Amino acid sequence: AADQPLDPDRFQVWFDQIVQRFGTDILRAKGILHLAGEDRRYVMQGVHMLIEANFLGPWPPGPRTSKLVFIGRNLDTMNLAEGFASCQVD
């Protein structure tokens, strides 16, 4: 989870690298993201290397927290928490 908005460009580069490198080990990925400069929720889901993403309505009142979940094999070797955290706006 990330409490700060995510930089859309940094997130896209990081996520593309994860999918390209580890896509066969990612059985499922799902998330709701708060992208910097955007008032709508960015929702994504995928299986292996097939990822769908789109904006979904405005955020409800209250804190905006990005959450991304992976289900798969060898996830501990992917440094997911560190990579996701590095996508937050400084």
Side-chain angles (χ1 to χ4, degrees):
D3 293 328
Q4 295 297 319
L6 302 177
D7 178 291
D9 296 328
R10 267 191 268 169
F11 176 79
Q12 193 64 53
V13 168
W14 171 75
F15 193 77
D16 286 349
Q17 289 173 348
I18 291 292
V19 170
Q20 289 297 317
R21 188 165 174 205
F22 302 108
T24 57
D25 285 335
I26 297 171
L27 304 178
R28 185 102 165 95
K30 193 172 201 176
I32 298 177
L33 309 176
H34 175 204
L35 301 179
E38 183 59 58
D39 288 330
R40 298 174 292 171
R41 296 170 283 174
Y42 190 69
V43 179
M44 56 182 300
Q45 63 178 343
V47 177
H48 296 291
M49 298 176 83
L50 302 173
I51 306 296
E52 292 182 5
N54 212 332
F55 287 101
L56 174 76
W59 283 91
R64 299 176 180 184
T65 302
S66 295
K67 295 181 182 182
L68 185 59
V69 176
F70 290 92
I71 298 171
R73 299 179 292 263
N74 306 312
L75 297 177
D76 55 334
T77 65
M78 299 180 199
N79 298 318
L80 296 172
E82 295 86 358
F84 189 60
S86 74
C87 297
Q88 293 183 78
V89 172
D90 300 326

